[in-house]
Amino acid sequence: MKIVSHMGIAALLGTSLLANPYTTPQEEYESIVKTGNEVASTLIQTLGKNLKQHLKSEGPLGAATFCASQAFPLTDKVSAQYGREISIKRISLNERNPANAAKGSEKTILEALQKLQDSGVVLPKYLVERVDTATAKYYKPLHINKGVCLKCHGDISDNAKLADFIKSSYPNDKATGYKMGDLRGAIVVTITK
Ligand code: HEC
């Protein structure tokens, strides 16, 4: 396994999209990272807590039904909690919900991260994209890091009811067949000043 520092990552990614911690004023860079870390953790905790509760009380099908209708409202709620300067989304190259498909620079960055992951690099905990002087995007790579993720993103063919539900709700679902440790996507926190 190769470990790359955050500083070396822009060069490795082969993309000029990333903010260079040396040229973005340090205070600003640190504040973007601090906000991004906080907002992303709040979202992960919120979605994780709800997922856990619904899995416990209703099993995978009930929890998937809950996610299908509530993942977006919950994400928007966390977003609203941080005010108008912040917006949050979840993106993936193998999306379940078409609204979460990575596009533009987000796709470029996610593809670069996937390449690094495929070559055995331990991904950084976060990255910062400088969009323009007023806007930055904080990225937190998301992995399949719990066995429970596989209930709905692994091989789901043995749970016919769940598989049917997913197929009818998401006819173009690409988010199955994952294994433990795979890169699932990223949380993107857009910060505008
Ligand atoms: C009970 C079923 C279920 C479980 C368990 C589950 N997911 Fe999902 N996941 C879904 C559904 C349904 C969607 C699509 C709805 C949405 O969230 O927008 C989704 C969407 C996502 C997305 C957004 C990108 C996309 O493909 O649309 C990410 C990222 C994600 N899941 C990661 C995870 C991770 C990481 C875990 C383990 C901690 C996990 N999921 C566990 C059902 C599940």
Side-chain angles (χ1 to χ4, degrees):
M1 274 217 176
K2 293 170 253 176
I3 300 181
V4 185
S5 74
H6 186 220
M7 305 296 177
I9 205 84
L12 255 174
L13 283 170
T15 158
S16 57
L17 296 163
L18 297 184
N20 182 342
Y22 294 118
T23 54
T24 299
Q26 198 187 351
E27 249 179 49
E28 191 187 337
Y29 186 80
E30 282 172 5
S31 135
I32 293 166
V33 169
K34 186 163 174 274
T35 305
N37 280 333
E38 195 184 320
V39 176
S41 312
T42 307
L43 181 64
I44 291 172
Q45 277 166 26
T46 305
L47 292 176
K49 195 177 73 188
N50 279 281
L51 179 64
K52 215 170 148 187
Q53 277 169 1
H54 286 268
L55 274 172
K56 207 175 156 197
S57 58
E58 300 152 34
L61 179 59
T65 310
F66 172 83
C67 282
S69 73
Q70 295 306 311
F72 262 87
L74 282 171
T75 304
D76 289 345
K77 211 171 137 191
V78 173
S79 211
Q81 185 181 325
Y82 287 95
R84 285 172 52 200
E85 288 148 16
I86 305 283
S87 72
I88 320 171
K89 60 180 154 182
R90 296 163 304 143
I91 58 168
S92 180
L93 295 171
N94 302 106
E95 71 281 357
R96 172 155 291 166
N97 189 333
N100 296 327
K103 293 185 195 84
S105 62
E106 293 170 358
K107 190 170 180 205
T108 309
I109 288 179
L110 214 44
E111 279 171 349
L113 285 171
Q114 183 65 58
K115 251 189 221 155
L116 287 184
Q117 162 100 6
D118 292 346
S119 67
V121 169
V122 175
L123 299 186
K125 294 217 180 326
Y126 58 81
L127 298 169
V128 176
E129 177 192 359
R130 167 56 67 201
V131 180
D132 55 43
T133 49
T135 311
K137 284 184 186 175
Y138 163 102
Y139 290 72
K140 184 174 196 66
L142 283 180
H143 289 88
I144 297 285
N145 60 352
K146 294 199 178 80
V148 75
C149 308
L150 298 173
K151 284 189 193 291
C152 300
H153 294 297
D155 174 9
I156 62 167
S157 58
D158 55 348
N159 188 338
K161 280 190 179 153
L162 177 70
D164 281 352
F165 171 76
I166 297 287
K167 202 168 171 31
S168 62
S169 309
Y170 306 101
N172 297 317
D173 179 38
K174 298 185 206 153
T176 58
Y178 280 96
K179 303 214 161 41
M180 204 60 183
D182 282 351
L183 179 63
R184 176 70 185 84
I187 292 179
V188 183
V189 182
T190 305
I191 304 165
T192 315
K193 33 173 203 192

